[in-house]
Amino acid sequence: MQLRTMSMRRLLFVFSALLIAGCGLQIAAPPALIGPEPVAVETVAVEPAATGTAEPGAITARPTWTATVAPSPTAARPSTPTPTAAAPVPVNWDVYTAALRPAIIQQLAPEMRPGGRLSTLTQYSLTVTLDADLKWVSGHQIVRYTNTEQEPLDEVWFHLFPNLWDGHMSVSAATVDGRAVEAALEAGDDLLRVPLGRRLEPGQWTEIAFDFRVPVPADTEVGNYGEFAYVDGILAMAHFYPTVVVYDEQGWHTETPALQGDVIFHDASLYDVSLTAPAGLIVVATGATLGRQENGDGTITWRLGGGPMRDFNIVAAARYRMATRQVGDIAVNSYFLPEDAAGGQKALNWAALALETYQQQFGAYPYRELDVVATMTTAGGIEYPGLIVVVRRLYYDPNNELFFEGVTIHETAHQWWYNVVGNDQINHPWLDEALTQYSTHYYYERFYGKEAVSNLLDSFRARWSRADYAEKPIGLPVSAYPDKEYSAIVYGRGPLFLIALRDRIGADKMAALLRRYYAEYAWKIAAPADFRRLAEEVSGQKLDDLWREWVEP
């Protein structure tokens, strides 16, 4: 491919001047791509499937046991008897594995069996309705929650994220195992405490249900980077439903997140979702589309499902078009507005190349699809399981193409660091964000020239300079970095630490460390101590001085 060239002044300007909120990315693609030529793919309009038809690509490999099939979210549900430790929680693997690649299903099969680690993941069943004007979301939610801790529990907590920014989400008709309970709003109104009415012993599960309703903001300035909003014909629904708070050895993580960073900290979970929406919408969601049913009243009900996943998001627009490209058995799909077709094709090719690169370096991507979707977010890009969003303005602004590419490959890397390997994004944000910046640096080293990689490093330092090169530890909570410090320390100084770690232990051992980290902590929550332990085991050396210099308070 003919190499692109750009002046050093221009590159440094792009690297240092651009700022993305939300995911917080400030990088730009270097000028010389050396790698596969972009593949031209036909752009097509996305049309709803015929009534009741299933999405193409049926599962071709299944676990060898017989799954216990739970009713769909739209079915009537009888009262649930009080579960006992001896009764395994019902798991509808036909729904949850629909999004997974066949090889991943076989790999995870032992952990899916009754009593296996994945069989006790929280299960969300959501029946969701969008009003015709897309101004309200209403839903009925059933959560099957297993106590995987060492002590009994007598309550379960839920985040109501829209209420962090006065979203007016309401919850009603709460039940536990079919019995009505008095759920209580806490911390203002962004936390919901559900009393169980009994001791939930370790190994036991319970079924919690309630109705919820929330208005959809019509302004991206409301909320966290416009993640939940309907603006200019594009609906984004991140955090639209109540989510279970993480419980660990510290108890329930009910702290209010600082809004300059990501707000979620979630266990991997399983999702079965029924969405009834106006028929004209093109719906893109985390997980797989299992089918669509026309209702004869101007609406379509979409059946969506998947897992394991950290959270669930839906994006929709009447005018979306789609282009697709295969990476092995993975379909990479790009959704964009028709006038942005050229930008949609670029996003597709960058995401496909990043996906292929990160699989080779870190390990297998778990899902059958990766969706890249243009939205009106005020961030440059934001990550979700199997789905990344990129701000629409980048699709048509030729002056920001370098930034556009950088956003796309950064957000793709989050499929490894945040989704498969989870972490506490509230208290340990460097574990996913600095690792994602480092992954982007690896991508550039692989495909771009030395000058461009040097400029990328300069961009990290330029970001750090916004905090006057303060030697502030990267291992602090988001709330400990006021103003521009969060971006400067976590996204600027953070990847420089990981590059220093690679320089200390060697590139081969750094690669082995990340592959092992990805394999050992898949669908778990990793802590900084876990990453350090693996780094010392793989390198065969103590790294106390490096951690004191860069990470520890």
Side-chain angles (χ1 to χ4, degrees), residues 322-442:
M322 181 186 74
T324 189
R325 177 178 172 182
Q326 286 293 130
V327 176
D329 63 344
I330 303 164
V332 183
N333 304 314
S334 176
Y335 291 85
F336 47 85
L337 299 185
E339 59 268 34
D340 302 334
Q345 186 65 63
K346 292 173 183 176
L348 172 66
N349 288 322
W350 294 326
L353 185 57
L355 177 67
E356 187 174 39
T357 300
Y358 297 145
Q359 282 205 110
Q360 293 172 359
Q361 183 68 1
F362 307 135
Y365 175 76
Y367 306 128
R368 292 170 171 266
E369 296 183 5
L370 173 64
D371 296 321
V372 186
V373 190
T375 74
M376 300 304 295
T377 177
T378 60
I382 305 176
E383 70 278 4
Y384 306 97
L387 185 156
I388 65 175
V389 303
V390 178
V391 61
R392 189 212 157 196
R393 64 177 173 80
L394 295 180
Y395 284 68
Y396 56 80
D397 185 353
N399 296 320
N400 276 327
E401 182 171 323
L402 301 178
F403 190 32
F404 186 12
E405 184 175 0
V407 169
T408 305
I409 62 177
H410 174 102
E411 303 303 339
T412 301
H414 269 300
Q415 298 302 316
W416 282 259
W417 322 124
Y418 136 80
N419 181 37
V420 176
V421 177
N423 62 287
D424 182 346
Q425 295 174 280
I426 311 304
N427 293 297
H428 309 135
W430 75 273
L431 264 185
D432 67 296
E433 294 299 353
L435 261 178
T436 302
Q437 290 281 66
Y438 175 85
S439 303
T440 307
H441 177 262
Y442 170 77

Side-chain angles (χ1 to χ4, degrees), residues 197-218:
R198 66 181 179 90
R199 285 164 56 98
L200 187 69
E201 300 293 341
Q204 287 187 331
W205 62 276
T206 188
E207 188 170 274
I208 302 168
F210 41 72
D211 298 328
F212 67 91
R213 185 165 168 82
V214 58
V216 179

